[in-house]
Amino acid sequence: MKIEVLKDIKNAEEDYKKMISQAQERRKSLVASAELEADNLIQKAQEDAEEFKKQQIADARKQAGMRHATIISDGKAEAVALESRGRQNLAKAVDLLVTRFKEQLNVSA
């Protein structure tokens, strides 16, 4: 009877060792799977961040281009307006210049 009890204990110990070994293998497998999933999530997050960055840069360039075009357009319109006002005053300016020139000639004589 003692031998049977000892055999039962030995068998139980072997069963527990197998169960512990299987649990450790399962743990290793789960850890490896979790690490792989974490790596995949990190890679996906990095790709998403890179895509977001590219989109933000593209949007900023588009806005800068639109602002540049507006500034250029406004500048050209202002230049045309200044030129128009200058042309309107050109005859007066020429007359004033000629009058001043004649006055200078009379003063010198």
Side-chain angles (χ1 to χ4, degrees):
M1 182 153 177
K2 288 182 181 181
I3 293 178
E4 288 179 20
V5 170
L6 289 175
K7 284 184 181 179
D8 287 342
I9 291 173
K10 188 173 183 177
N11 287 338
E13 285 178 348
E14 288 177 7
D15 288 343
Y16 287 125
K17 284 181 182 178
K18 286 180 186 177
M19 288 172 51
I20 290 171
S21 177
Q22 289 173 348
Q24 287 174 340
E25 288 298 318
R26 188 166 187 318
R27 182 187 63 83
K28 286 180 185 177
S29 174
L30 290 173
V31 168
S33 177
E35 286 176 350
L36 179 62
E37 185 176 347
D39 288 343
N40 289 338
L41 288 173
I42 290 169
Q43 183 177 357
K44 175 74 169 113
Q46 288 173 336
E47 290 170 359
D48 290 347
E50 185 67 25
E51 184 61 34
F52 179 76
K53 180 181 87 171
K54 286 179 183 178
Q55 186 62 44
Q56 291 296 318
I57 290 171
D59 290 346
R61 285 190 179 164
K62 182 179 177 183
Q63 288 179 352
M66 289 171 34
R67 184 158 185 223
H68 177 263
T70 301
I71 290 169
I72 294 295
S73 176
D74 291 347
K76 285 181 179 180
E78 189 174 339
V80 167
L82 287 172
E83 183 180 4
S84 176
R85 279 187 280 164
R87 287 189 190 278
Q88 289 174 355
N89 294 330
L90 183 62
K92 291 179 187 176
V94 168
D95 286 342
L96 180 63
L97 185 61
V98 169
T99 303
R100 295 280 168 97
F101 183 70
K102 284 181 183 178
E103 288 173 0
Q104 289 293 322
L105 285 177
N106 287 337
V107 170
S108 296

